[in-house]
Amino acid sequence: KNRQKYFTKSNRSLNPRWHRLCRLLLAIGVCKTFIVSIVLIAWQEDSIHVDLPYNPLLQSPKRPVSSQEEKQIDWPPVLSAHLEPSSSYDSWYENPSSKDPKIKKPLPLRGTRSQDLTRLNFPILNYSDPSGKDSMCNKIPTLLPIDDFGTTILDSYLPWIHDLFLSHDEKSVNIVAQNRRRCHKGKNHLDEMKFWEGQVALFQPVAVKRISGENNELNYRLSSHEEADPDGLETRFICRFKKMDHMRRKVVYLGETLSTYPFNYEFVNWRKKKKTMVEDTKDQTAFWLSPLMFHCPIPNEHQQFNLKQETSPQLLLDIIPIRTPVRRNDRDGFFFHEGHGGPTSFDAKEWFGNSHILPKLDDSGRWENLPVCSLKPPETIEPQNFQSQTNQPRPQENVNAMSSNKPHRLVACTWTSALHQRRGNERRISDGKSRLREWIAFHLEAGFDHLYIFDNTGANATVFRLKNEVDPDFEEGSDQDKFRIHDDLSSVTNLFPNSKVTRIDWPATICNNNRPAHDDPGERSSQYAAEAACRLRYGPYTDWMASMDPDEYFIPMGNNTDWREILEKVDKTEGRKILKFRSTRARPLLSRLEPIYDEGAKECTREMGKTHNKCLTKKKDKTYLETYNCEYIKSPKPSRFARAMKQLYRPD
């Protein structure tokens, strides 16, 4: 009897009303199953690829969660600079528009937000292709936007990065930057010097403590040395590491660390009896404040990435500067902890208070997606067909002196170019290749194991192209590339085995080529950065190192014919770490010179040569060393030449 309620007599099918109810329940079940599956998949992806363990050496196990871990990144990632407007610092001062504004105490918070920042992308560093077809890691200094800094990149607190690479022990990233404030000086550049004061602040460490914020977020607070985290005693940058997952086309956050300095720049400045790190005149003598070096420790998770096997970067780095007003030490005091032994006259609690929380990282100006690559160690095995011209055996080294077991005993670094302009841009020099060839050959004979050539030809090609000149040493091509340099120094370095010579393409231009006596004295930024990079890159592989120009020769004197003999004596009997030499210019011998004509220089024309030839050059069959072999200032050199002193030094 009950069946008649649900079935018809004809076909025993479901009653339409009950049929609709079943279909509704079935649809609800399917939707519920689908939603639960999606949630489970998302939870699994998040737990596997985002919430990686934090470095236990730098943070307690119960780490506050950074909001960055939940953020989605556009794929592929690209190098970008996020610029803060200079107006964001107005809150620091009582009278921000005055020439010498007074800083408020305690320092007010900056109210920057991500929408206040200007983002500049540099697509040349786009990480979409992991194949390494043309290895990006071998040419990082050529890809960084170095020459854009100060023109399109206008943020005084961003470091002017010239080079970065994985340290040889794989525990940190080495960054080599330059002080942009030193590029232009003097009374005609006072506003520019004021704008770039933040560059000096980057040399001055601050103390930082991590705290837990809203929603258990990781925040940073300016503090005193007593309150600071152990790794936050002397820092200036927050380093945020990320890993690229090309398979899933996503970026995975690994963690944040605090930067370290190789030494305390502020303490060094005090030791050199400088009243302040902010030099306001054109005579800026603190050369140690030109290159800025710092390190970003890598979280422990880096060990799983095998970075030394990569040809394209797999690890990315964001650098967020910690922004505070520059300390004028004669007014504000010195801030280095008591372990250094100097005066600590800067009161952090008075200046920063107890609650100065730094803005969130995405609300702060920063470098984003900098590539992290390993360096290829220098080759040490000589090819069988390479033989020294003198065939002199390598001297027997002292076992104790060589206890470090480094592959090289003595190396040299040089920053040079196939063509360049002298200081003041008064004359163009295009004999760089022939000079370098002779310089390399001589120093290999004199006992140097390896020579590192930082090739700046690309920068000079740009300068000459802007001047609408054609390089006479190279062939002209089509109209499109007739001003382009068709060669670099590789044609010289390739004459020598890789075990003896390494060439590094280094196209960064110097920011000021004026003479030292100019109202706006020169600053050879590219050269200083190259010398700093060479020591950090290759110092761990040698006992002794030197930096010099290719017109400078380190000549063993007396009964010594090889620098390794001299270093052996020094290590065995003296234990010195630095050998200093006063240097003077040599004059050329007239018998080794011949006339040269240049119709572009009025004193060197052929017409002028008929009566009084003022222009001479080295004879083609003579070497530079035998031509410039008139040492008219005899040893010992007078003390006035101490400024031009050269060094051999232990890089460690």
Side-chain angles (χ1 to χ4, degrees), residues 479-514:
D479 290 338
Q480 286 80 9
D481 65 358
K482 76 173 185 176
F483 299 127
R484 183 168 58 87
I485 294 300
H486 295 270
D487 200 359
D488 48 36
L489 293 175
S490 60
S491 59
V492 175
T493 57
N494 289 342
L495 296 173
F496 303 88
N498 294 336
S499 61
K500 292 295 183 182
V501 177
T502 297
R503 173 185 165 272
I504 301 94
D505 197 0
W506 193 266
T509 59
I510 57 177
C511 63
N512 187 336
N513 199 36
N514 291 337

Side-chain angles (χ1 to χ4, degrees), residues 593-652:
L593 300 178
E594 63 184 8
I596 185 175
Y597 302 100
D598 183 356
E599 299 302 320
K602 61 181 182 180
E603 69 275 15
C604 300
T605 63
R606 291 187 178 275
E607 185 65 28
M608 179 65 73
K610 293 178 180 178
T611 56
H612 182 65
N613 195 318
K614 295 183 178 180
C615 302
L616 301 172
T617 189
K618 177 184 71 67
K619 291 181 178 179
K620 292 182 179 180
D621 61 341
K622 303 300 180 183
T623 65
Y624 288 98
L625 189 56
E626 67 173 314
T627 300
Y628 291 87
N629 196 25
C630 180
E631 189 179 18
Y632 64 100
I633 300 178
K634 302 297 182 181
S635 296
K637 307 294 185 181
S639 59
R640 69 178 183 273
F641 293 105
R643 187 176 183 272
M645 193 174 291
K646 300 298 174 183
Q647 296 181 345
L648 293 178
Y649 63 92
R650 284 188 169 272
D652 54 1

Side-chain angles (χ1 to χ4, degrees), residues 529-552:
E531 292 173 352
C534 191
R535 185 180 67 81
L536 288 175
R537 280 172 170 248
Y538 306 113
Y541 302 103
T542 185
D543 292 320
W544 288 86
M545 177 175 271
S547 292
M548 52 181 146
D549 298 333
D551 63 348
E552 297 170 341

